[in-house]
Amino acid sequence: MNNISTDEFITRRENLSNYINDGIFILPGNTSFVRNHDVNFDFRQNSDFWYLTGFNEPNSVMVILFKPEIEYYLFVEPYDVHHHIWEGYRAGIEGAKNDFKADNAFPISELEKILPEMISEFNNIYYRVGSDKRIDSIVSSFYSTQLRQVTGKRGNYNINKNQNNGSVSIIDPVPFISELRMIKSENEIKLIDDAIDVTKKGFEHINTILNQNMTEYDVQVELEYIFRKNGSRFNAYPSIVAGGDNACVLHYIDNNRSLSDADFLLIDAGAELDYYASDITRTFRLNSNIDSLRMEAYNIVKEAQKNAISAVKPGQTLKDIHMKALDVLIPGLKSLKLFDHSIDEILSDNLYTEFYMHGTSHWLGLDVHDSSPYSINKSEIELKPGMIFTVEPGLYFSARSQYSDFNKSLTGTGIRIEDDILVTENGNRNMSEDIVY
Ligand code: GLY
Ligand code: MN
Ligand code: MN
């Protein structure tokens, strides 16, 4: 069960009125995917659909009419006793109305019949073309019928450069949902705190058992066992469990090598709990006798993260936070004797990207890389209370790289430290601060 109340889902739908005054909004959920023959992959609802409906069943479509007052409809798989016997319960038409507060609900099999009637009342269709073949076809046939009505069969075309033709507009509503998802409610913050707490339990367990006789896979299953045991049905993303040089593959998921000669183990993993993600990285030391240059690199990353997090407050941008990480990482790379260039040159010529090739932050929420925008109309998003994102600087010295680490003592080392940060009125709260280091 989720902890988002029915009222909060209603408020989310109402918030779409900030963007839509008069029009029909159509959003398909995820469909079930066949794995093989008659067995499906695990189902996980589309995050935008979940955000607006809280409805966890596959093959559903939501429709909201903005007149501008809101009428909310769900197309769902009807309750079916055979389905109940073989696969489980479905809320069906009655459940969609009673439990999910749809003003009316219809069988999904009637989409092609009912949706064209609904659309025909509107000139503005808020739908992401390409997100569902059936809806694409309904929308495009309505669009072309309307177009013919405007232009006639051999019509008098009014050609106005850069304007639509005066008939139907099809507008992608996903950016609106993405913007709504940017500020988290108190309940959402609580759910992300809870997801982080599960991840914390997993990391703490690993910290007590980790040794060089384990394989990456041993670590992964121990970690994910704790996630599952504490209520996380899915990871927020595939766990990255990377010893030694494998940590230089940013999204390494093979997780199948021995740790016997690795100095560090990078674990980047996060439990998903009640649809909300966590995203944590720790770089564990596997032996107490690590080369001092490698430890220096570790401490540079740690310091860069500290510097970046301390700058998080309303009014800053994620670019500012990235710069705060670079303010430590670039002098650090110089102190590791990887560059003779000036700090300005290393920055302006992007030389540092040989060792730090990813951004410092991304939004976090229903998705690990939450879909909210980083800029709107080319203006960087300024941080506001309720936003949640990661701060995850790293340094990577890969064996595949051509860099001039003259004694090669750094080669085969990847370090990243990642925490989840909430922007507050006066600064920030590091939500995962107490996870082991
Ligand atoms: N776990 C993927 C990331 O940190 O972005
Ligand atoms: Mn991560
Ligand atoms: Mn991340």
Side-chain angles (χ1 to χ4, degrees):
M1 269 313 288
N2 70 84
N3 297 321
I4 303 292
S5 66
T6 306
D7 282 349
E8 189 162 340
F9 284 112
I10 290 172
T11 305
R12 292 171 176 183
R13 293 193 288 272
E14 286 172 353
N15 284 341
L16 281 171
S17 304
N18 300 341
Y19 306 90
I20 307 175
N21 182 45
D22 173 22
I24 179 169
F25 166 91
I26 309 163
L27 185 73
N30 276 343
T31 49
S32 36
F33 268 107
V34 174
R35 181 176 188 263
N36 271 302
H37 188 44
D38 57 355
V39 174
N40 290 340
F41 283 105
D42 272 348
F43 179 74
R44 200 275 192 188
Q45 188 56 279
N46 169 278
S47 295
D48 284 337
F49 188 90
W50 173 261
Y51 181 79
L52 292 168
T53 66
F55 192 65
N56 188 32
E57 295 184 12
N59 314 321
S60 315
V61 172
M62 74 180 294
V63 174
I64 306 180
L65 311 185
F66 292 85
K67 292 181 161 181
E69 62 289 346
I70 286 177
E71 288 172 24
Y72 168 45
Y73 299 110
L74 279 172
F75 289 85
V76 302
E77 289 190 348
Y79 177 83
D80 170 61
V81 73
H82 295 292
H83 189 278
H84 199 165
I85 291 167
W86 283 91
E87 316 275 348
Y89 179 72
R90 284 261 188 269
I93 306 296
E94 290 312 308
K97 290 193 282 193
N98 296 335
D99 302 334
F100 295 90
K101 302 300 166 207
D103 294 313
N104 206 349
F106 308 100
I108 188 68
S109 58
E110 291 190 16
L111 186 75
E112 273 100 342
K113 182 166 148 256
I114 296 172
L115 189 58
E117 290 166 22
M118 290 176 160
I119 286 186
S120 67
E121 292 177 47
F122 295 95
N123 283 328
N124 296 319
I125 302 175
Y126 292 86
Y127 168 68
R128 172 167 278 195
V129 173
S131 56
D132 183 292
K133 281 202 173 62
R134 292 161 308 173
I135 303 173
D136 283 356
S137 142
I138 292 166
V139 167
S140 86
S141 96
F142 177 62
Y143 182 84
S144 39
T145 311
Q146 290 300 103
L147 188 62
R148 261 198 310 283
Q149 280 171 12
V150 170
T151 61
K153 266 196 187 146
R154 296 184 192 167
N156 165 39
Y157 288 80
N158 295 317
I159 297 179
N160 296 314
K161 210 171 158 197
N162 296 329
Q163 282 186 9
N164 79 23
N165 51 39
S167 62
V168 168
S169 302
I170 301 171
I171 303 143
D172 181 3
V174 170
F176 309 153
I177 311 169
S178 301
E179 193 181 13
L180 290 176
R181 284 173 52 181
M182 193 151 49
I183 306 268
K184 272 65 182 179
S185 69
E186 286 303 317
N187 288 329
E188 289 183 290
I189 294 167
K190 165 95 177 44
L191 286 169
I192 296 174
D193 270 327
D194 291 348
I196 291 169
D197 197 49
V198 173
T199 304
K200 173 179 148 84
K201 289 186 167 85
F203 275 67
E204 281 177 348
H205 172 62
I206 296 303
N207 198 40
T208 63
I209 60 167
L210 186 60
N211 67 70
Q212 283 181 308
N213 296 322
M214 296 175 82
T215 64
E216 294 166 342
Y217 183 71
D218 293 334
V219 175
Q220 181 185 356
V221 292
E222 290 280 346
L223 181 74
E224 293 180 0
Y225 167 66
I226 300 293
F227 288 0
R228 299 295 90 81
K229 195 168 153 65
N230 285 281
S232 162
R233 188 167 270 270
F234 304 109
N235 285 10
Y237 53 93
S239 299
I240 297 162
V241 182
D245 194 55
N246 296 338
C248 299
V249 177
L250 300 176
H251 288 164
Y252 174 80
I253 53 168
D254 288 350
N255 302 350
N256 59 3
R257 317 268 162 75
S258 150
L259 297 176
S260 56
D261 50 10
D263 280 343
F264 290 110
L265 174 68
L266 185 156
I267 304 180
D268 180 346
E272 177 179 288
L273 194 69
D274 295 326
Y275 269 90
Y276 283 84
S278 55
D279 181 9
I280 307 295
T281 307
R282 293 290 183 261
T283 305
F284 291 87
R285 281 141 284 187
L286 284 166
N287 75 59
S288 51
N289 207 11
I290 297 179
D291 177 277
S292 63
L293 219 50
R294 291 184 175 201
M295 279 315 298
E296 192 179 332
Y298 178 91
N299 288 323
I300 291 164
V301 172
K302 196 166 169 181
E303 192 54 38
Q305 200 217 23
K306 198 164 142 211
N307 199 48
I309 293 173
S310 68
V312 174
K313 61 177 183 196
Q316 297 287 296
T317 67
L318 291 183
K319 261 201 181 143
D320 297 330
I321 306 310
H322 182 58
M323 290 311 299
K324 292 289 177 190
L326 291 179
D327 282 348
V328 175
L329 291 175
I330 292 177
L333 288 167
K334 272 179 78 68
S335 77
L336 291 169
K337 309 235 176 330
L338 290 160
F339 292 113
D340 293 328
H341 311 69
S342 71
I343 287 179
D344 282 350
E345 276 176 314
I346 296 170
L347 184 63
S348 57
D349 296 344
N350 291 327
L351 301 178
Y352 66 88
T353 59
E354 180 72 14
F355 309 103
Y356 183 43
M357 59 296 277
H358 59 78
T360 299
S361 299
H362 56 79
W363 305 122
L364 181 76
L366 288 170
D367 294 309
V368 60
H369 296 162
D370 220 33
S371 60
S372 296
Y374 291 88
S375 64
I376 294 182
N377 301 331
K378 302 213 169 123
S379 162
E380 292 286 314
I381 297 286
E382 287 192 359
L383 298 180
K384 290 198 185 69
M387 292 179 176
I388 297 181
F389 57 89
T390 65
V391 175
E392 49 178 308
L395 286 176
Y396 309 92
F397 308 97
S398 168
R400 83 179 129 62
S401 167
Q402 300 299 314
Y403 72 91
S404 56
D405 170 13
F406 56 88
N407 60 10
K408 294 284 173 201
S409 54
L410 286 166
T411 300
T413 308
I415 297 154
R416 178 163 67 254
I417 303 171
E418 174 173 31
D419 282 287
D420 301 339
I421 310 298
L422 167 71
V423 184
T424 59
E425 291 294 334
N426 300 315
N428 70 78
R429 173 164 73 84
N430 182 343
M431 304 169 84
S432 46
E433 187 170 31
D434 58 350
I435 295 185
V436 292
Y437 254 65

